[in-house]
Amino acid sequence: MTGVFMTRADLTLPVLGFPQDGDVMPFEDRELLLGKTGWLASRARHLGLEIVDSAERRWVVSGLVPGEPPRKKWWRFGRADSERAGLEVELHEIEREDFIATRARVEVEARDIFEEGDEALAAIRAASTMAELSKACFEITVRGQGCRILSGDPGIPIRPASEVASRALLLFAIVRLALGVERSKIVEWLQEQNLLVAMSPEEAELFTTRRVTEQQRTAAGWELERLIALLWALGLADMSPAGEDPDLSTVVEIVPPAGDMSIDRFLAAELKPARDIAAMAERYRNLSREAGERYAGDPSDKNLNEAEIAERRYVALQWIINPDRISWR
């Protein structure tokens, strides 16, 4: 049977992906689906990936032909983004599946992850369109690993401590830029520590743009919240209460190169137990939702600030316990 390339398939978005060895994955964008299929291929997990679209059509991935990788631009510090490389994914269409059957499959997976009464499970059951089901499935992507950790599953891998520590150093570099430290000095130190290659494309642009705008500087300052979450997970700092500004002086005293701690000692820090990190992530998820609800009823700066803090810390903690699902973007 002749297949068709994904780039030419008549996919009706959003779509759900069902890997043979993992949880359902929602995609509202074809490029994200292509990128994720490429990521699965790098781990020999793409074959047999089943795709169900909003028109109740189904395909399975039968092969992958990588295109030419994007050239690394001279002004980028980091590696070329492999997920944006051209991909030709071969699909074979199989028997259609109606929405009710697709939702039932998702519910079976969700019952293995969430406790009865969890709002994520309720949202899946209540979904009446693929768009609603895709949105509900996002909770599986984000919270699935944490829920498994909290249920006592000992086989859930989390991000290595060295990677978390390296990411914390990059975040501190961004915070230092927001505080007015000379950019060339920050870049020189990052280069000495071989950290430039770990930058995201957006971070690389921040350090190479001709002039840092006030908007960029403000956004850089907000990275302090995600930095606090990572330092807490590494056992290097306390988590300041949501809604309270973190103690910047404490961070400056800890994190190299400004702090007293050597780079080797910092990179050797160990993560807290996975269960503690997962529990804190759930706590900040709840705090984020509560703050968002308060802001909806009273759109004050205080409520907006609390919602922003909680959300940023929640995302940073989820990044730690979801190494295969969440990238630093």
Side-chain angles (χ1 to χ4, degrees):
M1 183 172 58
T2 304
V4 60
F5 286 138
M6 185 185 293
T7 53
R8 303 173 190 171
D10 187 22
L11 297 176
T12 304
L13 297 165
V15 305
L16 297 181
F18 291 88
Q20 292 187 318
D21 60 349
D23 297 326
V24 59
M25 300 173 178
F27 298 98
E28 297 188 1
D29 183 285
R30 189 187 297 262
E31 292 302 315
L32 291 176
L33 176 57
L34 282 166
K36 192 64 175 183
T37 306
W39 182 88
L40 290 170
S42 70
R43 290 156 174 77
R45 294 175 51 198
H46 62 296
L47 295 179
L49 170 68
E50 183 181 330
I51 298 168
V52 182
D53 79 352
S54 295
E56 302 184 345
R57 298 174 68 186
R58 285 196 299 163
W59 293 264
V60 291
V61 173
S62 56
L64 178 110
V65 180
E68 290 295 322
R71 291 186 178 183
K72 177 181 173 181
K73 293 182 172 59
W74 68 268
W75 48 267
R76 285 201 186 278
F77 294 128
R79 296 182 294 268
D81 189 349
S82 60
E83 288 188 359
R84 294 183 185 178
L87 295 173
E88 286 292 3
V89 180
E90 187 179 44
L91 303 175
H92 280 88
E93 190 165 3
I94 58 177
E95 184 180 355
R96 299 171 72 96
E97 178 178 88
D98 66 37
F99 174 77
I100 300 301
T102 300
R103 186 180 61 191
R105 292 173 63 190
V106 173
E107 184 182 342
V108 169
E109 287 195 20
R111 286 203 304 266
D112 289 337
I113 300 171
F114 304 110
E115 295 182 358
E116 193 63 40
D118 192 293
E119 60 193 48
L121 185 55
I124 289 169
R125 289 170 174 164
S128 60
T129 66
M130 186 63 90
E132 292 175 353
L133 185 58
S134 176
K135 183 178 179 180
C137 285
F138 186 69
E139 287 290 283
I140 295 178
T141 301
V142 176
R143 293 178 58 214
Q145 296 296 78
C147 289
R148 290 189 176 100
I149 292 170
L150 291 173
S151 70
D153 189 334
I156 304 299
I158 67 173
R159 214 170 283 275
S162 59
E163 187 176 346
V164 177
S166 294
R167 170 45 51 189
L169 291 173
L170 281 172
L171 288 185
F172 186 51
I174 294 170
V175 171
R176 292 177 73 211
L177 183 65
L179 294 174
V181 177
E182 186 177 336
R183 185 165 45 175
S184 61
K185 292 183 179 179
I186 299 174
V187 171
E188 181 180 0
W189 186 83
L190 291 174
Q191 192 166 24
E192 289 174 357
Q193 305 305 323
N194 197 31
L195 289 169
L196 294 178
V197 293
M199 280 187 177
S200 70
E202 294 78 11
E203 290 167 341
E205 288 188 27
L206 179 64
F207 281 96
T208 55
T209 187
R210 178 174 296 180
R211 177 179 176 272
V212 179
T213 66
E214 281 304 309
Q215 184 178 7
Q216 288 176 311
R217 200 175 295 279
T218 299
W222 270 107
E223 291 289 40
L224 179 61
E225 296 301 338
R226 294 204 286 182
L227 173 58
I228 284 291
L230 298 190
L231 293 177
W232 172 86
L234 289 165
L236 298 175
D238 294 331
M239 191 86 84
S240 58
E244 292 186 13
D245 292 334
D247 186 353
L248 180 59
S249 62
T250 299
V251 175
V252 172
E253 290 172 2
I254 295 171
V255 187
D260 296 331
M261 186 177 294
S262 70
I263 184 70
D264 290 339
R265 183 183 169 196
F266 187 88
L267 290 173
E270 296 183 359
L271 284 169
K272 292 178 180 289
R275 187 178 181 86
D276 291 352
I277 299 174
M280 185 65 81
E282 280 290 288
R283 175 171 177 258
Y284 269 94
R285 173 185 178 272
N286 294 333
L287 288 172
S288 175
R289 293 177 69 86
E290 292 167 4
E293 291 172 358
R294 287 197 298 273
Y295 179 75
D298 176 16
S300 64
D301 289 344
K302 177 178 181 295
N303 287 336
L304 178 61
N305 191 57
E306 289 183 3
E308 185 75 18
I309 289 171
E311 176 69 15
R312 287 175 178 271
R313 294 183 184 182
Y314 170 58
V315 170
L317 295 169
Q318 285 289 0
W319 176 79
I320 297 174
I321 59 178
N322 281 285
D324 287 349
R325 304 179 184 211
I326 299 177
S327 62
W328 193 271
R329 286 195 172 184

